[in-house]
């Protein structure tokens, strides 16, 4: 067998193992984020502000309360991604977060790191525009964690 035939077979084998997906649109990802803010983050902030503290003035004065709100949201977000592969907002728009090489769900630690990377990405605003320039429509936090956001229906 010639070398070029072996090389051709290896390329075909690599292509067959890679799952094909429909990548989630950027606008749907933004809509899902807004939905998650209202369904998860707003109740957490309400609970911290009015149940734990004495109102908005105490919440605004306390850096610890604000950190607790973001940390609580991050934990809930990571639990939902690791258990179901999606948050309520992603479920509403039929999206799922999966590993970019295997196509399987990600674990809790990886989902938590993805959330922290998202906070960094959102702060700099630089990584949020990467989906316009990448083939798989990955944002910076997806590239860092090796994940992709796909539409739930798989194509062959």
């Amino acid at each position: 067998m010639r070398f070029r035939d072996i090389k051709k077979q290896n390329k075909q084998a690599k292509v067959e193992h890679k799952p094909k997906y429909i990548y989630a649109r950027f606008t749907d990802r933004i809509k899902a984020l807004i939905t998650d803010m209202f369904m998860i983050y707003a109740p957490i902030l309400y609970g911290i502000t009015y149940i734990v503290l004495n109102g908005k003035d105490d919440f605004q004065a306390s850096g610890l309360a604000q950190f607790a709100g973001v940390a609580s949201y991050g934990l809930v977000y990571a639990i939902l991604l690791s258990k179901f592969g999606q948050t309520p907002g992603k479920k509403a728009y039929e999206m799922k977060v999966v590993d970019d090489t295997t196509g399987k769900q990600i674990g809790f630690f990886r989902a938590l790191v993805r959330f922290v990377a998202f906070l960094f990405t959102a702060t700099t605003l630089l990584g949020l525009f990467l989906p316009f320039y990448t083939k798989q429509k990955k944002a910076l936090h997806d590239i860092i964690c090796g994940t992709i956001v796909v539409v739930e229906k798989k194509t062959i």
Side-chain angles (χ1 to χ4, degrees), residues 120-137:
F120 172 74
T121 301
T123 303
T124 60
L125 289 177
L126 208 55
L128 292 180
F129 295 109
L130 280 178
F132 294 119
Y133 302 107
T134 59
K135 186 177 178 182
Q136 295 178 330
K137 299 184 179 165

Side-chain angles (χ1 to χ4, degrees), residues 4-21:
R4 107 176 53 147
D5 294 333
I6 294 171
K7 191 174 179 182
K8 191 174 186 181
Q9 284 179 348
N10 287 343
K11 282 186 180 180
Q12 288 174 351
K14 287 180 184 177
V15 171
E16 291 172 8
H17 292 289
K18 199 130 181 140
K20 302 236 183 220
Y21 293 105

